[in-house]
Amino acid sequence: MNWALIALNIGVFMLTSVSPDGSSHGPLAIYHGQAVKDSFALDPQNPHLWQYFTYQFLHENWMHVLGNMLFLYIFGNNINDRLGHLGYLGFYLAGGVVAGIGYAAFDASPVIGASGSVAAVTGAYLILLPRSNITIFYFFFIIGAFEISSLWFVLLTFGQDLIGEIRPELLGGRESESVAHMAHITGTIFGAVLCLVMLAFRLLPRDQFDLLALLARWNRRRQLIRARCECWKCGLKSASRSRITIFRMRLISFSN
């Protein structure tokens, strides 16, 4: 199902795409694509029910759609495996709807893109596979790669969205304001909370890799360290009492 969603997003973009100079466009991009996007983008000032679904499959340009699909490819396949095809499809669409509601509550400009749905998937990944590693490639004079825990990667991107929503000038000002940070924030929270609830109520099978198992192991280690510290303190007190007893016995012997 994840591959089908990726193909659908790219296919819809190709049908509705417009070249930068407006000289060419996809077969559904009537009047240079504005008729399609105006009808199916989510407009917070005049929202329609279908827009909460259709806006998820529209994108502005190739960088927009490829960036979202890259994240969906990285995080989506494993969540698809955990939820099943139909469950994953429902989760993906619901994540987009909730992200759209969150965006419409705080912003007034129309929005398009799958980033709210993808954010819900990353939120689910945070709960279900927090210890998985993400490989990041970089090129700055040299080309290389490094791995980072998915837990920290998702939290860092979530923090970036929080900063972009509260203080956009810290992330580039006007460029940051064009990003639907609130949709990302709402989507991530929705995906994380829903999966956490499903794990807690056993609606999803638990395993050793999910966040609850990670927290349980952390709690056991904390209790073990605490127990060792208490034993060490008790041993130290016993040793002190033994030394005091020996000292008293020596005093009694000396006085005799």
Side-chain angles (χ1 to χ4, degrees), residues 65-112:
V65 67
L66 291 181
N68 280 335
M69 294 307 100
L70 176 62
F71 268 68
L72 190 58
Y73 165 74
I74 293 172
F75 294 100
N77 289 322
N78 288 324
I79 304 304
N80 191 168
D81 292 340
R82 291 295 302 272
L83 299 180
H85 293 315
L86 291 179
Y88 180 69
L89 176 61
F91 173 81
Y92 179 90
L93 294 175
V97 170
V98 174
I101 294 172
Y103 174 85
F106 292 90
D107 291 272
S109 58
V111 63
I112 57 175

Side-chain angles (χ1 to χ4, degrees), residues 24 29 37 41 46 53 73 84 94 99 101 143 161 182 196 202 209 225 229 233 240 242:
S24 62
K37 291 181 180 179
N46 186 29
F53 295 93
Y73 165 74
I101 294 172
I143 299 175
D161 284 316
M182 185 52 66
L196 196 60
R202 305 287 180 172
F209 303 108
I225 293 173
C229 289
K233 290 179 181 178
S240 299
S242 298

